[in-house]
Amino acid sequence: MTKEFAQIKAVTNMTFSVKKGSIHGFLGPNGSGKSTTMKMICGLLVPSSGEVLVEGLKLETHFDQLKRSIGFLPENPPLYQSMKVKEYIKFVAGIRGVPRSKVKKRVETILTQCGLEKVMGRRIGNLSLGYTQKVGVAQALVHDPEVVLLDEPTRGLDPEAVDEMRKLIMELKGERTLLLSSHLLNEVQNLCSEITIIKEGKVIQNGSLSEIRSLFQQQRSFKVEVRKFNEDIFKAFRVKFGESLNLNYEKKNEQKSEEYLLNLKMPKTDDYRSEVCHFLVEKNCELLSFREESIGVEEIFRLATAEGILKENALKESVL
Amino acid sequence: MNLLRGIILTTKKELNDYFGSPLVYILTGLFNAIIGWLFFNYIVSAKNLTLLNLSHSVLIPLFGNINFLFLFLVPLLSMKLFSEEKKHQTLDLLFLSHLNQTQIIFSKFLAGLFISLFILSWTIVFPIILGFSGYNDWGLVISSYLGLVFSIITYLWVGLFCSSLTENPIISALTTFCFLLGMMLMVLTVNATHIEILNTFFQYLSSPFHYESFSRGSIKSYNLVYIFSFSLFFYFLTSKSLESRRW
C-alpha cells in the first residue's frame, strides 16, 4: 500500500504479511511511517493505493465485519481522562459489541489480565504513565480480538513497567496475532519471531528474525572462556589459523588472572569450532565455555536503517 | 450492534461529561438569571396586564430573547462534542467500535439537545408565574417552546459540523457563533436592498425567520421542511467532515 498526504508520500509501496498467531515486530526510525501503516491496517486511514487483507478479506470492503476482530493501541492511547478505569473499560466493552450478559465478566477478566484491579476505581487522568498504557492495552483487548496492533506499548515506561508489559504481551502469544511496534529493540528480540524494518515509508527488511540475522551477520562470532592462556599460545594460534580466524583476548578478572575471554570471529562459510577446541586442549588450556554470539536486533536495525543498505537493496532489485 | 444500545451508551457518556463539568451549571445559572431579569423588566414596563398585552409585551419578546441567547449558548455547548475527541484521539476509538458513523453523530447530537433542553426547561417557571395571575394563552407558550426547540436543533447541527472541523474547542465555538450570527445578519442586509426575490430566498434560509412563525403561533409546512432539510444538510456535512479523517 501507498499513502500520500498532500503530495508527501508517508508510505510507499509497502508490502508485508504477518503470520496468524505470531508476534511480529514492526521497526523503523521516527517518522518512518510506522503509525501511518498501523492506522491503515486497522482501517482508520484509507491507503491512497493498494489494499490491506485480513484473513483474505479486503479491509476496505469488509471494514464493518473486520473491525470487530481488530484491537488497536495507538501511540497515544485513546482515553477519556475524566472516566474511571473500570467505567471506561465497561464503556469500551459496550461500544465494541461485547454482549450485555458478558460485559461484567469480560471487564473483570481484562482488568485482572492487565493488572488494573488496584486502580480500577481511579480516574484515568490521575494514573501514572505505566497504568495509562495498561488501560490502553486493556481497551484494545476487551472485545477479545484476533488481531492486535500495539503501537509503542512500552513508550515512556520505567524498566519495571516494561517488564510487566512484556509479560502481558507474552501471555497473548499464540492466542492472537500481534503486530508490535517498539523502540525497545531488546523487547522486540525477546518477543517477536518475525520482524519488518521500514525506513522512509519503505520496507527494507522483512522475514523471520533468524533469516534476517543470517543476512546481516557477515561473520560468526564466539566467546570462549579459558584458563592458562598466554601470549605464546596466541602467537601459535595465529600461525596455525592465519587470516581465516580473527582472535583477540582479554583477562577476564584481575584477581583470577588465570581466566581469559577470547573473542573469536570466523567466516560464515567454514566451521572451525572443532579445530579451535582441539588446538586449545593441545596447548593445555582449560576450556571453560564456548558459546556463539548472535547479532542483536539493535545491530540489525542499525545496519538496515543505515543509508547504504537501502541503496544496496535497490541495486540488488534492479539487477534481479 | 443494537442501534439503540450504541446511541444510549455514547449519549450517556456525553451527558456524564457535561454534568461532570461546571460549565453547564454556570451557563444554566447565568442564562436563567438574565431571562429572569428580562422577565421582571417586561412585567414592570407593561402598561396594562391584560391577556393580550402579556403575550405581546412580555412572553413574545421574552421567548425572542431566549432564542437570541441560545445563539451564544449552543456554540459553547457543542464546541467539545467532536473537537475534544479529535484532540485526545478518542474519535478513533469510536470509529473502531461497533457504532457506525450515523450512531456516533446522533449520540452527540442527542447529548447536546438534552443539555440545551435542560437549560431551557428552567424558563417554564415564567409562563407558570403568569398562569397564577390568570394568563391562559397556553397555545402560544407551547408554539413558542416548539419554535425554540427547532431553533436549538438548527444551531446544534451547525455546532456539530464546526466541532468536527477542528481539534480546538474555542475555534469550534467561534466558528459556530460566526456562522449563526452571519445567518441572522445576512437577512438584515438583504432586507435593506429591497429586492423581493432575494429577501424571500434569504429569509427562508435564515433560522430566525422560521422561529417567528412559531412565536406567532402560525406554523407552516415549509417551516418544518426547512428544519428537516437544514438538519439533513448539516448531518451530511458533518458526516463528510468525519469521513475525511480517513482520506
Side-chain angles (χ1 to χ4, degrees):
Chain A
M1 55 203 171
T2 295
K3 183 70 190 173
E4 283 179 55
F5 293 110
Q7 299 183 338
I8 295 167
K9 276 192 176 177
V11 172
T12 314
N13 295 329
M14 188 176 286
T15 303
F16 70 94
S17 59
V18 180
K19 275 186 194 162
K20 194 172 180 173
S22 70
I23 303 185
H24 192 106
F26 193 50
L27 311 173
N30 289 337
S32 57
K34 294 192 298 292
S35 296
T36 305
T37 308
M38 283 195 148
K39 282 187 175 180
M40 282 195 281
I41 294 170
C42 67
L44 287 174
L45 285 177
V46 180
S48 307
S49 65
E51 60 194 19
V52 179
L53 298 172
V54 181
E55 297 206 328
L57 296 174
K58 274 188 193 178
L59 185 72
E60 186 60 20
T61 48
H62 297 81
F63 182 58
D64 284 337
Q65 182 189 340
L66 288 173
K67 71 179 179 181
R68 290 157 200 260
S69 54
I70 296 175
F72 179 46
L73 168 71
E75 208 171 349
N76 299 311
L79 306 172
Y80 294 108
Q81 305 291 324
S82 59
M83 279 178 130
K84 289 178 179 166
V85 175
K86 192 174 181 182
E87 181 194 6
Y88 170 73
I89 298 297
K90 204 174 160 189
F91 169 71
V92 178
I95 61 167
R96 280 297 210 160
V98 175
R100 211 176 299 202
S101 56
K102 293 179 183 170
V103 167
K104 198 181 167 195
K105 200 180 171 194
R106 186 68 199 144
V107 169
E108 278 166 10
T109 309
I110 211 73
L111 287 173
T112 312
Q113 194 178 8
C114 296
L116 292 166
E117 305 108 304
K118 279 184 194 169
V119 294
M120 65 183 183
R122 283 175 60 184
R123 275 162 59 104
I124 293 172
N126 296 337
L127 294 180
S128 67
L129 195 58
Y131 277 120
T132 307
Q133 284 292 87
K134 280 184 183 178
V135 178
V137 175
Q139 66 78 26
L141 299 174
V142 72
H143 59 296
D144 204 12
E146 288 165 37
V147 179
V148 181
L149 309 170
L150 302 175
D151 194 358
E152 300 283 357
T154 50
R155 194 175 73 127
L157 301 188
D158 61 38
E160 199 182 331
V162 169
D163 197 41
E164 284 176 15
M165 186 63 77
R166 186 176 58 229
K167 279 181 196 157
L168 177 60
I169 295 169
M170 279 305 275
E171 280 174 26
L172 304 173
K173 196 172 186 175
E175 287 177 35
R176 299 178 172 88
T177 307
L178 264 95
L179 183 64
L180 171 72
S181 140
S182 178
H183 273 109
L184 295 178
L185 301 175
N186 278 336
E187 294 308 314
V188 172
Q189 185 167 297
N190 292 333
L191 293 166
C192 306
S193 47
E194 296 190 334
I195 57 168
T196 296
I197 302 175
I198 65 166
K199 188 188 177 187
E200 290 167 7
K202 292 172 187 166
V203 173
I204 49 176
Q205 285 302 331
N206 176 36
S208 74
L209 203 50
S210 54
E211 274 172 18
I212 295 176
R213 255 196 195 119
S214 66
L215 190 74
F216 280 89
Q217 204 157 10
Q218 302 301 323
Q219 290 179 311
R220 294 176 75 186
S221 175
F222 297 90
K223 298 269 185 205
V224 186
E225 284 176 306
V226 290
R227 259 192 211 129
K228 297 177 184 170
F229 191 79
N230 56 42
E231 186 64 21
D232 294 336
I233 302 172
F234 177 67
K235 281 176 185 166
F237 183 93
R238 297 195 67 171
V239 171
K240 183 170 170 73
F241 295 101
E243 294 297 312
S244 352
L245 298 184
N246 184 344
L247 178 75
N248 58 57
Y249 71 98
E250 57 189 284
K251 260 187 198 170
K252 206 181 160 205
N253 190 324
E254 286 298 324
Q255 287 172 338
K256 294 178 184 176
S257 55
E258 287 289 288
E259 282 189 21
Y260 287 85
L261 181 68
L262 315 185
N263 295 308
L264 180 68
K265 286 191 174 13
M266 66 175 73
K268 269 176 18 176
T269 45
D270 303 306
D271 190 356
Y272 288 99
R273 281 179 297 177
S274 175
E275 285 89 334
V276 171
C277 286
H278 276 119
F279 171 82
L280 290 170
V281 172
E282 270 171 22
K283 297 288 176 191
N284 293 324
C285 290
E286 289 174 16
L287 193 57
L288 300 173
S289 72
F290 196 109
R291 63 175 193 275
E292 184 165 5
E293 293 276 292
S294 58
I295 185 171
V297 173
E298 207 160 321
E299 184 67 2
I300 293 174
F301 181 75
R302 195 182 59 77
L303 290 167
T305 53
E307 202 71 30
I309 300 291
L310 201 62
K311 286 176 186 165
E312 197 181 301
N313 282 355
L315 193 68
K316 274 181 198 166
E317 277 171 22
S318 66
V319 171
L320 288 170
Chain B
M1 187 187 189
N2 186 318
L3 181 88
L4 214 58
R5 188 188 170 201
I7 292 180
I8 290 171
L9 272 172
T10 326
T11 308
K12 211 173 139 190
K13 190 217 88 142
E14 289 300 328
L15 289 176
N16 281 341
D17 277 357
Y18 272 124
F19 286 115
S21 108
L23 181 75
V24 168
Y25 305 108
I26 293 169
L27 288 179
T28 309
L30 211 64
F31 171 78
N32 283 292
I34 294 170
I35 296 301
W37 180 76
L38 285 172
F39 177 72
F40 173 75
N41 272 299
Y42 286 134
I43 293 279
V44 170
S45 56
K47 284 173 188 167
N48 300 310
L49 294 178
T50 59
L51 181 68
L52 193 69
N53 211 23
L54 277 177
S55 291
H56 284 92
S57 315
V58 180
L59 281 183
I60 291 177
L62 189 74
F63 282 124
N65 280 309
I66 291 175
N67 187 29
F68 183 70
L69 279 180
F70 266 99
L71 208 74
F72 297 88
L73 281 183
V74 171
L76 294 175
L77 294 171
S78 65
M79 65 181 180
K80 282 185 177 180
L81 285 171
F82 280 116
S83 59
E84 200 85 333
E85 299 262 8
K86 285 174 98 173
K87 193 175 166 187
H88 294 118
Q89 303 190 8
T90 43
L91 202 53
D92 291 347
L93 179 77
L94 296 180
F95 280 137
L96 281 179
S97 73
H98 290 201
L99 299 165
N100 58 37
Q101 197 159 278
T102 310
Q103 282 174 304
I104 297 171
I105 295 172
F106 271 93
S107 54
K108 298 273 178 191
F109 169 74
L110 283 177
L113 185 62
F114 189 89
I115 285 296
S116 305
L117 294 183
F118 168 76
I119 296 175
L120 179 69
S121 65
W122 299 95
T123 61
I124 197 77
V125 172
F126 307 115
I128 288 173
I129 291 171
L130 291 184
F132 284 126
S133 317
Y135 181 80
N136 60 5
D137 191 0
W138 298 110
L140 181 95
V141 174
I142 293 167
S143 164
S144 294
Y145 269 113
L146 211 59
L148 284 172
V149 172
F150 282 132
S151 279
I152 288 168
I153 288 175
T154 56
Y155 298 165
L156 258 179
W157 278 114
V158 176
L160 266 178
F161 169 62
C162 294
S163 181
S164 74
L165 294 175
T166 173
E167 286 183 3
N168 189 327
I170 305 294
I171 292 176
S172 161
L174 281 175
T175 321
T176 310
F177 177 69
C178 290
F179 190 95
L180 294 175
L181 197 70
M183 207 159 70
M184 193 176 267
L185 294 178
M186 184 177 68
V187 179
L188 296 177
T189 315
V190 172
N191 279 348
T193 62
H194 302 294
I195 305 168
E196 200 173 326
I197 191 159
L198 269 183
N199 278 352
T200 317
F201 178 71
F202 281 103
Q203 263 180 358
Y204 181 79
L205 288 184
S206 135
S207 167
F209 168 73
H210 296 276
Y211 167 74
E212 270 176 36
S213 301
F214 283 94
S215 68
R216 285 197 306 267
S218 57
I219 306 162
K220 305 279 189 305
S221 59
Y222 63 76
N223 299 136
L224 300 173
V225 169
Y226 168 80
I227 286 149
F228 183 72
S229 50
F230 189 94
S231 303
L232 204 67
F233 178 66
F234 274 91
Y235 160 75
F236 173 78
L237 290 183
T238 311
S239 179
K240 285 291 157 198
S241 159
L242 293 177
E243 247 177 64
S244 70
R245 274 171 64 81
R246 295 182 66 214
W247 298 344

